[in-house]
Amino acid sequence: MRIDKFLSNLKYGTRKEIKSLLKTHEVFINQNRVIDSSISIDPLTDIVYIDGVQVYYKEHIHLMVYKPIGYLSANHDTMHSVVTSLVKSPFDRFDFSIAGRLDLDAEGLLILTTDGSFAHQIMHPKKHIEKTYEVMLDKPFFHQNTLLKGIIVKDAYNDEYFAKALDIKKNKEYVTIIIDEGKFHQVKRMFQAVGYEVLRLKRTRIGNLELKDLKPGEYIEFERNDLE
Ligand code: URA
């Protein structure tokens, strides 16, 4: 990859700005100063320095983020804070896809990844990746058998589908539910279908990834094979 493309992908400026950066700053590839913006590097093996500071690079980055309530599962928005704004240096130079959104008023585990095909796979219904949600309802819950047997709910297009809980544990109005799909408002709609309102919703697990000690707004990196 050309050095100007490499640095511009990492948001150091446009190709034109990189050309002047190479003249006005000390940019090194390994031990060699670079002036020519068309020079090629291997991003995986060459190390690039700008004024003595190493440029952080990885082919792909996967983050487990604790989305706080009130953050939008999006990259940009004019009204609300977005989850990608929680990501700080050195990861903030990368573009992330969001795998499996959480509602604005929901919180918990969200996966951000620079690998779009990985994001797609995580969300694919055929993958049946389990997710655990802890919810607080408007009243004590008594319909676990109905949700375990399965019910008909509507998706984002108002098409009906069969939704089924894989496991349910409850303590009065506090319920932990496991499902292996992730359709639009699925958890809220499953509880609504049996007469309950979800007042709080927190996702605590996706596959083998668990929220554990993460606090709202925090994130940690994980490896692709940690998920399953
Ligand atoms: N189900 C919902 O209803 N909301 C979410 O944010 C996630 C799952």
Side-chain angles (χ1 to χ4, degrees):
M1 187 191 295
R2 282 171 57 131
I3 184 79
D4 55 356
K5 182 165 194 309
F6 173 75
L7 290 176
S8 140
N9 284 353
L10 290 172
K11 305 188 173 49
Y12 282 94
T14 59
R15 294 266 189 114
K16 202 167 155 212
E17 285 163 350
I18 304 297
K19 202 170 179 166
S20 76
L21 178 109
L22 297 182
K23 297 210 172 84
T24 52
H25 291 259
E26 292 198 336
V27 179
F28 277 73
I29 301 174
N30 307 317
Q31 273 81 44
N32 307 311
R33 169 104 198 248
V34 214
I35 311 273
D36 177 359
S37 64
S38 71
I39 222 151
S40 279
I41 66 157
D42 180 342
L44 293 178
T45 54
D46 291 324
I47 300 180
V48 178
Y49 301 86
I50 301 178
D51 297 331
V53 179
Q54 187 176 334
V55 172
Y56 183 87
Y57 180 79
K58 258 191 176 182
E59 191 176 15
H60 284 301
I61 296 163
H62 317 296
L63 300 178
M64 297 169 51
V65 182
Y66 188 140
K67 181 190 106 59
I69 292 171
Y71 276 68
L72 206 65
S73 302
N75 288 293
H76 307 280
D77 193 67
T78 47
M79 291 253 293
H80 301 283
S81 304
V82 292
V83 279
T84 47
S85 71
L86 296 166
V87 176
K88 306 291 180 227
S89 177
F91 303 127
D92 55 348
R93 291 190 176 276
F94 294 80
D95 292 320
F96 288 95
S97 299
I98 301 167
R101 286 156 205 279
L102 279 173
D103 298 336
L104 187 66
D105 62 357
E107 62 186 313
L109 183 56
L110 194 67
I111 293 177
L112 302 187
T113 172
T114 56
D115 185 344
S117 75
F118 181 40
H120 191 73
Q121 279 181 32
I122 296 170
M123 289 181 288
H124 202 286
K126 284 210 180 108
K127 274 289 236 178
H128 292 293
I129 295 179
E130 287 190 5
K131 291 133 199 133
T132 304
Y133 295 88
E134 292 177 4
V135 300
M136 185 177 90
L137 304 174
D138 57 339
K139 51 185 180 266
F141 184 62
F142 293 106
H143 287 69
Q144 57 268 47
N145 289 339
T146 317
L147 293 192
L148 287 167
K149 260 199 249 148
I151 36 142
I152 302 290
V153 281
K154 285 189 176 162
D155 67 13
Y157 310 99
N158 257 351
D159 290 332
E160 292 185 328
Y161 68 98
F162 181 74
K164 186 173 169 336
L166 302 181
D167 188 46
I168 292 190
K169 291 195 173 57
K170 61 150 198 168
N171 179 9
K172 299 181 189 148
E173 68 270 40
Y174 296 95
V175 182
T176 302
I177 177 169
I178 299 177
I179 56 173
D180 66 359
E181 300 157 305
K183 302 225 177 169
F184 185 65
H185 295 328
Q186 179 163 343
V187 174
K188 287 178 184 164
R189 289 188 173 182
M190 286 174 73
F191 283 101
Q192 263 161 16
V194 286
Y196 299 82
E197 181 101 26
V198 172
L199 301 183
R200 285 202 66 150
L201 187 152
K202 177 173 166 183
R203 183 158 63 203
T204 57
R205 180 175 71 96
I206 302 175
N208 291 332
L209 302 175
E210 289 188 66
L211 203 52
K212 287 198 180 138
D213 299 332
L214 276 184
K215 304 276 180 301
E218 291 181 348
Y219 54 87
I220 47 166
E221 207 180 348
F222 70 94
E223 297 303 321
R224 202 179 159 129
N225 52 13
D226 294 339
L227 178 74
E228 298 185 272

